[in-house]
Amino acid sequence: MNVRRFLSFIMAAMVLFSLLAMLSCSSDKQENPDASTSDNITDLTEPDSPPETNNSDTSSYSSLPISDYYGKSCPELIAEGINPLIGITAPLLSDEYLIVMIGSLQEQLEEQGFSTMAMSAENNISTQIEQVENFITMGAVCIIEAAMDIDALSACNETARQAGIIVTCLGAQPLNHEIDGGIATDWEKLGVAAAEQIIAYLDYAYPNEPDISIKPAFSQNSSLSRPKICSENMKATLETDSRINIVFEKDLVMEIDTGYTFAEEALTYDPEITLFAMYIDASAVGANNYLASLPDVDFSNYAIFCTNGGDTWRELLAMSENNESAIRGSICYGGADPAAGLFEPAYKIL
């Protein structure tokens, strides 16, 4: 072998050795995440940006199994003063029922050492999908969804769970993918129960008038599959009662302002309307506000029913005992304490 060929052989061997050494180092970094120092762990109490390490290493929490950061569990991280992020997404955070429930949920989680971030999807399913994706990028350990359409979240939920993120939901069990837990609601039974409550009220309010004719205004939410099921069953059950003749209907009445307008339009269409059957409590509060704006209104002539109920709704319900309000009743989903029902599965799994 001449000298030139011998030097080429030596240089090739050195390059091969260097490559093998680099691959070995890379493998060690991936297979031994707990070899990282504590300086590499970022405090998650500031969840507005993705967690980053404090040195030149570009690895981050979001690139690892989320519930097992650098080989450490959530209890271990909390013991070190780190507050793992739990993301919460809801259809609309202007609804008092959701505000109270999610506020209580956040309080319970933060008492246990987690940080939380709640986001409103503004009744837009595409926005809710983006919020789930953002929580994945931010390195959340858990995502709790008050899902507008849980089946529409299948792709992002599967991505989250593949990354090790716990996914739980309020109100629905998905049909096309798996999640980790939550509270499931039978939306058909919810609608039937809401209508049966109205029928029971008529029996109570008009015990000696079996042939009385009631003209309700009916509002629903058809934009989402499960609330639509609730609304459809509520209407169908109401129509089984011969005393009830729905004379005015409107879709997507979901907020205080739209509830106010709904009541105004209904009574303009037919001043003999005395009953308002509505999907959500915010719109029911709006309808009551319109009645209160009428001169010399006699609340005893009116009744407003809905599903769910926040603090303002409950105050108006108490006032109706003395006919200072027309809010008469509601059926709430999620049990007596839906915040506790959402907290328990997520916390136990984490």
Side-chain angles (χ1 to χ4, degrees):
M1 182 182 297
N2 60 35
V3 173
R4 180 175 297 176
R5 290 181 63 191
F6 178 77
L7 290 175
S8 298
F9 174 81
I10 292 296
M11 291 179 66
M14 290 175 66
V15 169
L16 179 61
F17 178 81
S18 298
L19 288 172
L20 289 173
M22 290 172 65
L23 288 171
S24 176
C25 291
S26 175
S27 177
D28 285 345
K29 284 186 179 181
Q30 293 176 359
E31 294 175 4
N32 297 286
D34 52 348
S36 302
T37 66
S38 60
D39 290 338
N40 286 339
I41 299 176
T42 303
D43 192 333
L44 293 185
T45 55
E46 297 292 335
D48 292 334
S49 58
E52 297 178 353
T53 56
N54 293 335
N55 59 18
S56 58
D57 186 357
T58 58
S59 63
S60 68
Y61 290 155
S62 58
S63 67
L64 297 167
I66 299 302
S67 60
D68 195 17
Y69 293 155
Y70 289 81
K72 296 181 180 179
S73 66
C74 284
E76 289 172 323
L77 292 170
I78 292 170
E80 294 179 5
I82 296 168
N83 309 109
L85 173 65
I86 294 179
I88 304 168
T89 174
L92 198 66
L93 287 182
S94 62
D95 179 77
E96 280 194 351
Y97 175 75
L98 289 175
I99 291 172
V100 172
M101 180 193 69
I102 289 175
S104 176
L105 174 62
Q106 289 182 279
E107 183 178 352
Q108 293 179 61
L109 291 168
E110 289 169 5
E111 285 176 353
Q112 300 301 322
F114 295 91
S115 64
T116 65
M117 174 181 285
M119 303 186 75
S120 174
E122 301 303 317
N123 278 330
N124 188 318
I125 190 62
S126 297
T127 300
Q128 191 159 60
I129 291 170
E130 291 174 2
Q131 289 171 353
V132 173
E133 292 171 343
N134 287 340
F135 285 138
I136 296 171
T137 303
M138 293 166 68
V141 295
C142 175
I143 302 172
I144 299 175
E145 302 166 346
M148 299 172 62
D149 183 350
I150 186 65
D151 295 325
L153 302 181
S154 60
C156 56
N157 282 349
E158 287 173 351
T159 299
R161 296 184 76 237
Q162 288 168 4
I165 302 173
I166 304 303
V167 177
T168 64
C169 182
L170 166 69
Q173 183 174 352
L175 301 176
N176 59 357
H177 68 289
E178 294 290 331
I179 59 174
D180 298 286
I183 301 173
T185 295
D186 187 321
W187 291 89
E188 179 178 342
K189 289 182 178 179
L190 181 67
V192 170
E196 288 177 342
Q197 184 181 56
I198 294 173
I199 292 171
Y201 170 80
L202 296 181
D203 294 338
Y204 170 81
Y206 307 102
N208 301 316
E209 302 177 61
D211 298 325
I212 190 171
S213 177
I214 302 295
K215 292 184 174 182
F218 180 79
S219 70
Q220 64 175 337
N221 176 17
S222 68
S223 65
L224 305 172
S225 59
R226 287 168 175 83
K228 183 180 179 181
I229 291 171
C230 174
S231 296
E232 289 174 345
N233 280 274
M234 185 178 180
K235 180 182 177 183
T237 304
L238 286 174
E239 290 176 334
T240 63
D241 193 302
S242 60
R243 296 169 295 183
I244 295 175
N245 177 29
I246 297 174
V247 294
F248 184 83
E249 295 184 51
K250 191 172 183 179
D251 196 6
L252 304 179
V253 183
M254 298 291 292
E255 299 170 322
I256 292 177
D257 290 346
T258 53
Y260 185 101
T261 303
F262 169 75
E264 182 180 25
E265 292 174 348
L267 289 175
T268 300
Y269 176 79
D270 190 338
E272 294 184 356
I273 288 173
T274 58
L275 175 64
F276 297 85
M278 314 189 74
Y279 171 67
I280 200 73
D281 58 310
S283 61
V285 170
N288 192 79
N289 289 349
Y290 175 72
L291 294 179
S293 73
L294 299 177
D296 302 319
V297 64
D298 183 356
F299 281 115
S300 66
N301 293 328
Y302 298 96
I304 302 173
F305 289 86
C306 61
T307 64
N308 300 329
D311 288 346
T312 300
W313 180 91
R314 293 179 186 277
E315 291 172 6
L316 293 170
L317 177 66
M319 291 169 60
S320 72
E321 184 176 1
N322 298 318
N323 285 316
E324 298 172 350
S325 149
I327 298 289
R328 307 294 178 185
S330 179
I331 300 291
C332 294
Y333 66 79
D337 188 354
L342 285 174
F343 167 80
E344 186 172 346
Y347 178 72
K348 286 184 174 180
I349 296 170
L350 288 169

